[in-house]
Amino acid sequence: METKWLEDFISLVETNNFSRSAALRHVTQPAFSRRIQSLENWLGTDLIDRTSYPTRLTPAGIVFYEQALEMLAQINGARDMLRSKRAAAQTSIDLAVPHTLSLTFVPKWLTALEQDFAPISSRLMALNVHDAVMQLVEGGCDLLLCYHHPRQPVQLDPGRYDMLVMGRESLRAYARCDKNKTPEFTLPGTKKEPLPFLSYTNNAYLGRMVELILADAKNPLHLDPHYETDMAEGLKMMALEGRGVAFLPESAVTRELKQKQLARADGGAPEWEIEMEIRLYRERPSAHRRGKAIVERLWEFLEQQQKDSGRKRRVAVSER
């Protein structure tokens, strides 16, 4: 049995809705349902009465709910106790970050912090967005850095988690440059000759951003999928080989654009791009879970840094 199955079950009891609990647990509804079924299989009995709506517990489910709460409390209590003993002497910051940001944003950000804040010892976990979020939710990291878009939000309870906007990132279409330093492929393509498309897998966050671009485009794009992966870096390497058009974060192609290896394949049209926020999250300290002193000092520094930056912008605007 996995502890996340207990957390899934407790969430389902609290919401009485598979779809709502799946969203809160950052998984698809089919995956959430499979995890509930895995728990039932492990226990050897049905916990959910699937003949009724809204969702209702079976007699066994009612009994197990209290047991699940108690088991999860004991597990989390033991973990918190051990972590608090370790954290007392720990000065390293654990970061959960999606793969792309770990390669583009994080190195420059940590360098700037070394200069403006203090030397930092950090441990970075490069993951997909879902797993990075779950690291924070399950207490596996101190800070989460990730993309955010209002139509594909990271659903973290603002009553439990603090958030800072660290920057913005544009997602655009790029293709390899030809001998004349112009893109070998240019949107939108045609029905007769669709463009070779280098795409993200369905479960990739950036893939969902591309879906929004395609859905919102006033002029339809004619694309022929040739290759897919969940990592932007993999798509960039394929684009550099001239294999097709790829939608990539701007920060991931800065060097390639300067060196004329890649060029925008959208002709500069804003309808084929989307902007995301880069957000930093932490679990808000509480009497039950105080967190690390180094994380608290860093958060206070970042908050003050943003206040100062906002004040300077307001002064600059007023002087125009």
Side-chain angles (χ1 to χ4, degrees):
M1 187 187 70
E2 300 182 33
T3 56
K4 65 183 178 183
W5 296 351
L6 297 177
E7 294 168 340
D8 292 341
F9 175 65
I10 291 169
S11 174
L12 182 58
V13 175
E14 293 173 348
T15 65
N16 288 321
N17 187 286
F18 273 84
S19 297
R20 176 61 177 156
S21 285
L24 292 173
R25 296 290 293 155
H26 307 287
V27 295
T28 63
Q29 183 175 335
F32 182 83
S33 297
R34 286 195 297 271
R35 282 167 27 173
I36 294 295
Q37 290 172 352
S38 295
L39 177 61
E40 291 176 317
N41 292 336
W42 187 83
L43 290 168
T45 187
D46 290 337
L47 301 175
I48 308 300
D49 182 356
R50 292 174 173 81
T51 66
S52 65
Y53 184 85
T55 301
R56 187 172 63 188
L57 296 179
T58 63
I62 295 172
V63 172
F64 184 69
Y65 175 59
E66 298 297 329
Q67 298 295 319
L69 288 173
E70 185 175 346
M71 284 190 289
L72 198 58
Q74 291 177 342
I75 292 170
N76 288 335
R79 182 184 65 180
D80 291 341
M81 177 185 67
L82 295 173
R83 282 183 173 172
S84 64
K85 290 182 178 180
R86 184 190 66 178
Q90 194 173 19
T91 58
S92 178
I93 297 177
D94 295 331
L95 292 161
V97 187
H99 294 284
T100 300
L101 288 174
S102 72
L103 297 171
T104 59
F105 184 88
V106 171
K108 294 179 181 178
W109 180 55
L110 290 179
T111 298
L113 287 178
E114 292 271 346
Q115 298 172 351
D116 301 332
F117 173 63
I120 292 178
S121 174
S122 59
R123 182 174 71 95
L124 186 144
M125 293 169 279
L127 308 160
N128 61 47
V129 172
H130 169 266
D131 290 346
V133 172
M134 292 311 299
Q135 280 292 321
L136 181 66
V137 171
E138 296 175 353
C141 67
D142 302 310
L143 298 174
L144 163 69
L145 187 74
C146 64
Y147 290 123
H148 170 87
H149 189 275
R151 292 167 64 187
Q152 193 65 46
V154 173
Q155 295 178 329
L156 289 171
D157 181 3
R160 180 180 173 186
Y161 298 97
D162 294 324
M163 185 276 294
L164 293 171
V165 177
M166 305 303 295
R168 285 171 172 78
E169 177 87 274
S170 293
L171 187 70
R172 300 189 180 103
Y174 297 92
R176 186 174 70 175
C177 289
D178 59 20
K179 294 179 180 180
N180 297 319
K181 306 302 180 184
T182 58
E184 293 181 347
F185 306 102
T186 305
L187 300 179
T190 64
K191 287 185 178 181
K192 187 176 181 180
E193 295 185 5
L195 301 176
F197 183 37
L198 309 174
S199 62
Y200 296 95
T201 53
N202 292 333
N203 64 339
Y205 185 87
L206 293 180
R208 296 181 187 135
M209 292 296 98
V210 174
E211 290 174 2
L212 292 179
I213 294 174
L214 300 181
D216 293 345
K218 296 178 182 178
N219 299 309
L221 301 180
H222 302 283
L223 304 172
D224 181 19
H226 275 212
Y227 177 81
E228 72 172 27
T229 179
D230 59 353
M231 295 182 64
E233 193 68 16
L235 294 184
K236 182 176 76 172
M237 298 308 295
M238 292 294 286
L240 286 168
E241 290 294 323
R243 300 294 297 275
V245 174
F247 285 85
L248 301 167
E250 184 178 22
S251 63
V253 296
T254 303
R255 181 177 56 189
E256 288 77 13
L257 292 175
K258 288 182 179 179
Q259 297 176 353
K260 303 295 183 181
Q261 294 176 296
L262 293 176
R264 288 181 61 168
D266 57 11
E271 67 171 304
W272 294 321
E273 67 177 79
I274 199 167
E275 186 176 83
M276 306 168 289
E277 288 182 342
I278 299 174
R279 290 187 170 189
L280 186 69
Y281 291 91
R282 71 159 180 176
E283 184 174 4
R284 186 171 301 142
S286 63
H288 176 64
R289 189 175 295 180
R290 298 185 182 278
K292 299 175 183 176
I294 182 63
V295 175
E296 179 65 24
R297 292 199 303 271
L298 174 60
W299 198 267
E300 290 176 353
F301 168 79
L302 293 173
E303 284 184 322
Q304 187 60 49
Q305 190 179 56
Q306 294 204 350
K307 289 178 182 177
D308 293 343
S309 178
R311 192 178 301 114
K312 289 178 181 178
R313 285 195 299 269
R314 289 193 295 271
V315 170
V317 170
S318 65
E319 291 178 347
R320 289 178 182 174

